[in-house]
Amino acid sequence: MSLSRVSDEEIQEYLDGNLGSREIADLRSRLDNCDKSQEKLREYVYLYKALKCEETHNLSPTLVEAIMENLPPLEEPKKKLNVSYIFAGVVGLITLVGLLHYFIDLTPFVKQLAAFPVFHLRLNWDIFNPLVKLIQKLNAEYYLVGFIALVLMLIKVVDFMLLDPEYRKINH
Amino acid sequence: MGVDMTEEKQLVKDILDGNSEGYRIFIHQYNRLVNHVVFKMVSNEADREDISQEVFVKAYRNLPNFKFDSKVSTWLARIAYNTCLNYLEKKQIPLYQDVVAEGACIDENPGFEVKPDQFTIDRNMAYKLCREIDELPVNYGLILSLYHLQEMTYKEISDILSMPEGTVKSYLFRARKLLKDRLVRNFCLEDLCL
């Protein structure tokens, strides 16, 4: 235990409540043995109390009215992309496709879809051919519609997470 | 100060839902905080009201972008601080100035003979204290106000001033020491207290 004079910093730490019980005990014993330190502590206690009573200022009522009258339109919330949400969305999408592929037999789905008039048309545009082939390859019918709906829903959920501001999620 | 986070969220939601009168409540709730920042950083009385007004208008405009990553008070104080910084820059007023450690011989001062819990502080004292704080570097006074009057933590103050917590703590210590030395040197207790 040191019996040196207590420093300004130690007194401030003490009054801020940042000292542990051992440090407080040490500080008190040093204070008991040093009049100068006690005086310094009194000065700081006085200062702390005075700082709590510092003059405060309020806006004049006319200024409040002026602010209220000149309020600008609210800004549109800035849209920020969050990498973790994108990652979660992609993982979710892959998981969904995997689950659908594993649990659902898409054969009747594609058969039904293939019977749909549009797919009987002979499309000359090359860009549609791979798509038609893909759908036929998937061999899906009814379930494909459900699958697309689910994907769209998932996209909406991801879109909501990515683009909607936090304040819309506030609960009453 | 002392505003519950749920109340803060509800108030902000009301304002964003189009209840502009809610903003009047918002102003009343936070005007003390904004004024603490503005009055500490801007000495020109004519400019203070304009800056306070600018702070509240900026805050209103940006409210939709506030994500509650921090308390409203911290966010608003940061807007106030940055607005004042811009003002000081325009006026070319330095944020920091060298402060010589005055009053080195405080031990010889005979003023403090009273037990700390026996005094009260009147408005006159508050005025004198304000004048003494105004003599400190801008950031010192601001940190004192945010810590002691707004009861903010080192972390909150460091977020507002965009400086490390350690720096905030060290400024706070220096500010209190400087202020104490000035008070001890310039006043005796009878002058300051009832």
Side-chain angles (χ1 to χ4, degrees), chain A residues 26-43:
Chain A
D26 174 48
L27 186 108
R28 281 187 181 153
S29 69
R30 284 155 65 201
L31 280 168
D32 287 344
N33 291 298
C34 177
D35 292 342
K36 299 260 183 195
S37 298
Q38 284 177 31
E39 192 183 324
K40 200 189 278 183
L41 175 66
R42 277 198 296 275
E43 289 167 0

Side-chain angles (χ1 to χ4, degrees), chain B residues 13-25:
Chain B
K13 187 185 180 305
D14 284 350
I15 297 164
L16 293 173
D17 284 347
N19 176 14
S20 61
E21 279 306 299
Y23 202 63
R24 197 186 294 277
I25 301 168

Side-chain angles (χ1 to χ4, degrees), chain B residues 42-189:
Chain B
V42 178
S43 53
N44 186 327
E45 286 192 22
D47 293 336
R48 282 172 172 171
E49 286 212 336
D50 288 345
I51 293 171
S52 297
Q53 186 171 353
E54 191 185 333
V55 170
F56 279 111
V57 169
K58 267 188 196 171
Y60 182 80
R61 199 184 294 130
N62 287 296
L63 209 51
N65 295 316
F66 179 56
K67 305 282 186 214
F68 288 98
D69 297 334
S70 62
K71 286 182 183 174
V72 173
S73 53
T74 312
W75 174 74
L76 188 62
R78 203 181 309 134
I79 293 177
Y81 179 70
N82 289 333
T83 309
C84 291
L85 274 189
N86 291 341
Y87 165 86
L88 294 175
E89 255 178 41
K90 265 187 213 161
K91 300 272 174 184
Q92 296 183 326
I93 300 169
L95 189 58
Y96 300 94
Q97 60 210 49
D98 291 334
V99 179
V100 182
E102 298 165 278
C105 49
I106 55 165
D107 290 348
E108 289 145 31
N109 188 289
F112 286 81
E113 294 281 318
V114 168
K115 286 185 181 130
D117 51 354
Q118 283 182 343
F119 61 77
T120 55
I121 296 161
D122 66 357
R123 285 185 65 79
N124 188 34
M125 166 57 200
Y127 176 79
K128 285 174 182 171
L129 183 69
C130 264
R131 299 293 76 78
E132 287 301 323
I133 292 175
D134 287 345
E135 295 295 315
L136 298 176
V138 172
N139 261 358
Y140 282 16
L142 179 60
I143 291 173
L144 281 174
S145 271
L146 294 177
Y147 187 83
H148 286 280
L149 288 171
Q150 294 295 325
E151 294 176 1
M152 286 185 170
T153 60
Y154 298 134
K155 170 82 177 65
E156 286 168 338
I157 299 172
S158 79
D159 284 345
I160 293 166
L161 307 187
S162 302
M163 58 173 67
E165 275 180 60
T167 311
V168 170
K169 200 172 172 183
S170 126
Y171 281 1
L172 183 64
F173 281 6
R174 267 191 264 169
R176 283 191 294 225
K177 176 151 180 17
L178 267 172
L179 187 61
K180 180 195 72 98
D181 292 352
R182 278 174 188 275
L183 289 174
V184 168
R185 196 180 62 251
N186 295 338
F187 304 101
C188 66
L189 208 60

Side-chain angles (χ1 to χ4, degrees), chain A residues 14-169:
Chain A
Y14 171 61
L15 293 175
D16 283 339
N18 295 338
L19 296 185
S21 51
R22 270 192 171 186
E23 292 164 310
I24 291 173
D26 174 48
L27 186 108
R28 281 187 181 153
S29 69
R30 284 155 65 201
L31 280 168
D32 287 344
N33 291 298
C34 177
D35 292 342
K36 299 260 183 195
S37 298
Q38 284 177 31
E39 192 183 324
K40 200 189 278 183
L41 175 66
R42 277 198 296 275
E43 289 167 0
Y44 271 110
V45 169
Y46 170 74
L47 176 73
Y48 273 59
K49 288 202 173 191
L51 282 169
K52 287 270 171 219
C53 305
E54 197 195 330
E55 207 176 27
T56 56
H57 318 273
N58 285 315
L59 289 180
S60 69
T62 49
L63 189 67
V64 176
E65 287 311 314
I67 295 170
M68 291 304 294
E69 280 167 22
N70 294 311
L71 284 182
L74 287 168
E75 273 188 358
E76 280 294 310
K78 285 175 191 161
K79 294 172 179 178
K80 285 183 186 170
L81 288 177
N82 186 325
V83 178
S84 58
Y85 286 157
I86 294 172
F87 179 74
V90 170
V91 170
L93 197 66
I94 292 168
T95 311
L96 185 70
V97 171
L99 286 173
L100 280 169
H101 183 68
Y102 186 79
F103 287 111
I104 300 169
D105 177 15
L106 297 175
T107 310
F109 200 1
V110 169
K111 272 185 185 168
Q112 190 82 10
L113 200 73
F116 218 66
V118 68
F119 296 116
H120 292 297
L121 294 174
R122 287 182 178 274
L123 298 170
N124 292 324
W125 303 317
D126 288 343
I127 74 168
F128 280 110
N129 289 337
L131 185 67
V132 172
K133 277 181 189 165
L134 176 73
I135 293 168
Q136 285 170 343
K137 198 175 177 185
L138 269 174
N139 201 20
E141 286 183 355
Y142 296 114
Y143 296 113
L144 190 59
V145 179
F147 171 73
I148 291 168
L150 272 173
V151 170
L152 287 174
M153 275 171 60
L154 190 71
I155 289 170
K156 180 59 201 162
V157 169
V158 173
D159 170 73
F160 183 83
M161 287 194 298
L162 289 176
L163 305 177
D164 267 33
E166 286 291 315
Y167 70 83
R168 287 197 197 152
K169 297 175 194 165

